[in-house]
Amino acid sequence: MQNASPSLLDRFFAKRTLAAAYTEERALFLARLMEESRRGHLCWKPDGEAPAFPSSIVAGGESLCPKTPVVLDGGRYYLQRNWVYESYLLSQVDRLRVSEPAPFYDKKLFEKELSNCEALQPEQRIAIASAFENPFSIICGGPGTGKTYTAALLVRLLLASVKKEKRKSFKLILSASTGKAASHLQSVLLGQGNLGSFVKTETTTLHRLLKLQPGENRLFQKRRIDADFVLIDEASMLDAPLLAHLFESIGNGTRLVLLGDPDQLPPVESGSLFPEMASLFGSHLKRSMRVEASDLQQFAKAILESGSEEMERLLKVPSPSLEHLNWPFDAALQEKLFKMADPFISNEKPDPEKSISQLNRFRILGSLRQGPYGVDELNRQILHEAGRRVQPGQWWAVPILITSNEPRLELYNGSCGILIGKSSRGIHLREGTAYFSDFETGGVRSFSNLPPFEIAFCLSIHKSQGSEFEKVLALFPPGSEHFGREAIYTAATRAKKELRLVGDKEVLKKMIAKRSLKISGFTERYRTPKK
């Protein structure tokens, strides 16, 4: 039931929590619970019988904010903070699902406008109708299934059904974890035509929308967003605390729609609640609208539905868009990766906009962060080799990834940019100027002082979520078998035109046989009648 040797840190906190109630059996149990929480699970349901705890340590989940450090509900054990997040999310979902829609929509006019959209797929039509009927809804599907297009059309149909005599203006907010994803929403929406002066549109990152400062995690602030409609993209990337803050901010008169792919990797942090919510009340788009790289679409589908045999079949015959490379993980691979990363070294200063655009054409993705073939070490090696080759007076450009939120600079965790400098001797990152896309103007913004960042010749598959690249090289070194099929699927769906996989086929098979979902009690508690 328990781990044989929990970490010293987990044992320390378990002993501190138990205090006078300490026994070895209780300490091992709580240490395991704390380990499961650190792995992102909101709760833990032990296989065997749990030790008895005093009521000051473990209590039932009768209240939203229990006083005990551990909560027991339905055989599931929660750390207090995880219980609060899950319980608060359930209460907010209940509130939004039963709230009355705003009174200024004309349902008959909406249905008439929807019936005139003849080119829609049946599943898109169902998704749009469901989003009109429900103040909170989810539109989900893989890449190319038309999530963003469907949501953009929903916005236009909603606007067409507003009774102008009852509503003089309409506030629309488009948001996502990254500015790039939020900007993509806006471009698709505006690509269908001007919304007119009646609509006030705001495009922003989620942290900025929620006014969350770094490290802030307090709920019950009830700071409502002033909007008629809030549309959130890449919602599969949102962890439980961020979802709780989002749902809390949505007033009863505001419509909320989430877009995302429930089959992607779960967030690194607590919970993977988006797939559960998508299963409970999501509209699923399954037909891909893309005509290019059909091999990639078949491969992504095989990962989720057909298993390793179909995956192997697709990889046996190389195609222009899909190939398995039998490269061993050795020193020769490191040289190959350096050539493929192709660090910029030139006598001429690079154009920042062109350099950022180049980043979207090819990227190396890796399943591991640590180890000799983890992305941290590979980035270090590529940077070191580039620094060895650059000559004094030459220019260099290094891709970077912001790793913390800095609202003051409008830079957030996951923001990708380019660091450009002129060599005096080697590459010194502090001497460079950073450039990031400005999604409002379409240009770039420059920075001399940055929040914490990391080198990004190679990206972890987790950090690549929300991005798309024309070509992807995905690395699955030994150790990747600890991940599930979601890691391969996420890497595969980052590529638009070409995917190359590097990894032992036995490792890939083991990954296909596993799932990466985090454990919670959300679905069971939602379906259980309230007492």
Side-chain angles (χ1 to χ4, degrees), residues 347-367:
N347 294 324
E348 302 294 328
K349 182 178 180 180
D351 180 273
E353 283 192 58
K354 290 182 179 178
S355 297
I356 292 174
S357 176
Q358 182 68 27
L359 286 177
N360 295 326
R361 294 176 188 165
F362 170 75
R363 192 64 65 96
I364 301 169
L365 305 182
S367 59

Side-chain angles (χ1 to χ4, degrees), residues 72-114:
L72 171 61
D73 181 82
R76 299 178 298 271
Y77 287 81
Y78 295 79
L79 293 182
Q80 184 193 66
R81 68 175 184 273
N82 290 341
W83 170 262
V84 172
Y85 282 132
E86 184 177 287
S87 300
Y88 194 55
L89 262 172
L90 283 163
S91 69
Q92 294 301 305
V93 167
D94 280 340
R95 173 180 66 85
L96 292 178
R97 293 287 290 180
V98 302
S99 65
E100 290 292 327
F104 49 77
Y105 295 109
D106 186 325
K107 183 177 180 179
K108 290 184 178 179
L109 182 56
F110 177 86
E111 292 174 342
K112 179 183 177 182
E113 293 291 334
L114 179 57

Side-chain angles (χ1 to χ4, degrees), residues 428-449:
H428 299 283
L429 300 179
R430 292 183 180 179
E431 298 176 359
T433 299
Y435 298 88
F436 292 82
S437 294
D438 188 328
F439 297 107
E440 292 185 2
T441 66
V444 296
R445 296 183 297 149
S446 62
F447 300 88
S448 54
N449 295 310

Side-chain angles (χ1 to χ4, degrees), residues 503-517:
D504 187 89
K505 286 187 177 180
E506 289 304 312
V507 169
L508 298 178
K509 278 185 180 181
K510 290 178 180 179
M511 294 177 70
I512 289 289
K514 292 180 65 175
R515 299 298 307 273
S516 299
L517 297 178

Side-chain angles (χ1 to χ4, degrees), residues 183-195:
S183 178
H184 176 64
L185 265 181
Q186 183 184 43
S187 65
V188 172
L189 180 59
L190 295 180
Q192 296 182 6
N194 197 306
L195 296 177

Side-chain angles (χ1 to χ4, degrees), residues 163-381:
K163 301 173 184 176
K164 301 298 192 298
E165 68 276 10
K166 291 188 177 182
R167 195 68 174 174
K168 302 303 179 185
S169 64
F170 190 95
K171 179 71 176 292
L172 168 66
I173 292 181
L174 310 173
S175 187
S177 296
T178 65
K180 182 178 180 179
S183 178
H184 176 64
L185 265 181
Q186 183 184 43
S187 65
V188 172
L189 180 59
L190 295 180
Q192 296 182 6
N194 197 306
L195 296 177
S197 59
F198 167 71
V199 183
K200 297 178 180 177
T201 305
E202 179 183 348
T203 304
T204 183
T205 62
L206 194 53
H207 278 84
R208 185 178 179 188
L209 173 65
L210 299 177
K211 297 181 172 62
L212 291 179
Q213 299 300 315
E216 183 179 352
N217 57 9
R218 289 178 296 176
L219 295 174
F220 317 118
Q221 303 296 305
K222 293 187 178 178
R223 296 181 296 204
R224 302 295 198 208
I225 295 171
D226 177 24
D228 296 297
F229 187 12
V230 177
L231 184 60
I232 309 292
D233 200 3
E234 299 294 348
S236 64
M237 299 170 64
L238 308 184
D239 59 26
L242 201 51
L243 279 169
H245 281 290
L246 171 62
F247 278 65
E248 179 185 55
S249 72
I250 303 298
N252 289 340
T254 300
R255 190 178 302 270
L256 172 66
V257 175
L258 304 183
L259 308 179
D261 185 348
D263 294 311
Q264 286 191 31
L265 274 168
V268 176
E269 297 80 6
S270 301
S272 57
L273 295 178
F274 181 78
E276 294 192 60
M277 290 193 292
S279 178
L280 286 168
F281 25 74
S283 296
H284 296 258
L285 308 182
K286 297 180 179 180
R287 180 175 175 179
S288 178
M289 306 298 176
R290 289 181 178 170
V291 295
E292 59 184 20
S294 61
D295 286 354
L296 296 184
Q297 297 168 26
Q298 293 177 41
F299 183 67
K301 186 177 180 181
I303 293 168
L304 300 177
E305 299 177 1
S306 306
S308 59
E309 291 184 5
E310 177 66 8
M311 182 191 75
E312 279 194 87
R313 186 189 70 79
L314 290 169
L315 292 176
K316 272 184 179 178
V317 181
S319 74
S321 57
L322 179 64
E323 185 178 7
H324 177 249
L325 301 173
N326 292 305
W327 293 349
F329 284 88
D330 56 16
L333 175 62
Q334 296 170 358
E335 178 62 26
K336 291 177 183 176
L337 295 181
F338 178 83
K339 291 179 179 178
M340 297 180 80
D342 191 23
F344 180 92
I345 299 173
S346 174
N347 294 324
E348 302 294 328
K349 182 178 180 180
D351 180 273
E353 283 192 58
K354 290 182 179 178
S355 297
I356 292 174
S357 176
Q358 182 68 27
L359 286 177
N360 295 326
R361 294 176 188 165
F362 170 75
R363 192 64 65 96
I364 301 169
L365 305 182
S367 59
L368 303 181
R369 285 198 63 91
Q370 306 300 323
Y373 300 99
V375 296
D376 289 348
E377 177 61 18
L378 293 176
N379 278 318
R380 188 196 67 78
Q381 291 173 0

